[in-house]
Amino acid sequence: MTLPPHPGIFTSVERRYAEGNPAPELRMIDGSDPAGVPVSMQLARRTLYDRSADPAARTALWHQIAERGRLDADRSDWPSAVVWLGLPGLSRTASKIVRSFRAERQDVEAELVTCYLEALAETGPETPDPGGHILRSACSRTWTAWRSVRPELAVEDVEHAGGRSPGTGTGTDAVWQADYEPPVRPSGLPAGLRITVPAHRVEGVRIGALAQAWGLAGTATDPRYSGRGHRVATLSLRRVGRNG
């Protein structure tokens, strides 16, 4: 597998496990021995993605990989090594998502690895076609995650967000209204702030970008509340007509 030209999880794992063989070894079930024969990581990975290989052997390998993924990470290299085995099935999707959403490669790789490990954990000994199930599930979940955050992508040019230039679009009746309500403070009740701007200025721009454009970046910089710290403000948007 060719190393991607991007620093991130994929590159780090690829370099670390290119020559590794963590214990216990994977075993190839080829019919010659009921218990299978030991197989190197390199041969196992080639077999996993070789459509001409015995489907039963590939299925047995994926079931073993799912089991290895549950081993104690403090005592075994397997929880990380299973990621190395999944990279060929994840790398193409990573590149497509990066191109489609102009996303950071590192963020996409992290999401793919998380979804891949979740799919591995859900795979049981009776799961049919475990390899297909694991990779399809991981890639599908990651696509869904990035589609859900697509409207929140920040842009540098607020005026041209959504591909429209200022002064064009839906007319003077189409406006967006933003209400900024600071929380109550010991010093008293702060007054609310209402801002109305033309729709073409905010279409496709996340709330964080709007806050920066309106001088509120110091108090409302990220619409995704993480649960840490104290809420400093809320910023809501709604589309209204001429008469509000």
Side-chain angles (χ1 to χ4, degrees):
M1 178 179 176
T2 303
L3 288 178
H6 314 279
I9 294 177
F10 285 16
T11 301
S12 299
V13 172
E14 188 69 38
R15 288 172 176 165
R16 179 176 180 182
Y17 290 100
E19 302 298 332
N21 279 300
E25 293 179 302
L26 294 174
R27 304 186 73 84
M28 183 76 75
I29 310 297
D30 58 3
S32 60
D33 187 334
V37 296
V39 60
S40 69
M41 290 272 285
Q42 291 73 25
L43 178 57
R45 191 162 81 163
R46 289 197 298 270
T47 302
L48 291 174
Y49 301 97
D50 182 0
R51 296 185 178 276
S52 65
D54 181 8
R58 295 168 63 190
T59 295
L61 283 173
W62 277 113
H63 282 308
Q64 293 175 65
I65 292 168
E67 292 175 357
R68 300 296 194 276
R70 301 184 183 99
L71 296 179
D72 187 350
D74 293 333
R75 300 182 181 181
S76 171
D77 288 332
W78 268 112
S80 298
V82 296
V83 175
W84 183 84
L85 290 166
L87 293 185
L90 303 176
S91 58
R92 180 176 297 180
T93 295
S95 298
K96 288 181 178 179
I97 293 176
V98 168
R99 290 195 301 268
S100 298
F101 299 103
R102 292 181 295 174
E104 292 291 337
R105 178 85 186 197
Q106 297 93 323
D107 295 339
V108 174
E109 290 181 359
E111 185 70 29
L112 272 169
V113 169
T114 299
C115 294
Y116 169 73
L117 294 176
E118 289 175 350
L120 272 173
E122 297 167 0
T123 301
E126 304 302 324
T127 302
D129 185 21
H133 167 76
I134 291 166
L135 295 175
R136 283 193 301 269
S137 177
C139 294
S140 176
R141 293 180 188 186
T142 305
W143 273 108
T144 299
W146 280 98
R147 287 191 184 100
S148 68
V149 301
R150 185 173 187 175
E152 298 181 356
L153 292 177
V155 296
E156 295 181 358
D157 190 349
V158 178
E159 296 288 348
H160 292 81
R164 297 183 180 181
S165 60
T168 64
T170 56
T172 57
D173 287 343
V175 298
W176 284 84
Q177 180 173 291
D179 293 326
Y180 173 71
E181 297 291 344
V184 178
R185 300 185 183 278
S187 58
L189 268 173
L193 178 63
R194 175 174 295 179
I195 306 171
T196 301
V197 296
H200 64 260
R201 293 196 59 192
V202 296
E203 181 178 356
V205 186
R206 70 175 183 175
I207 294 176
L210 290 175
Q212 182 175 8
W214 294 333
L216 306 177
T219 53
T221 57
D222 193 341
R224 296 169 295 180
Y225 179 58
S226 66
R228 299 185 295 271
H230 300 288
R231 180 176 63 87
V232 296
T234 59
L235 186 65
S236 63
L237 291 174
R238 61 178 177 272
R239 197 168 186 169
V240 298
R242 182 192 295 269
N243 297 325

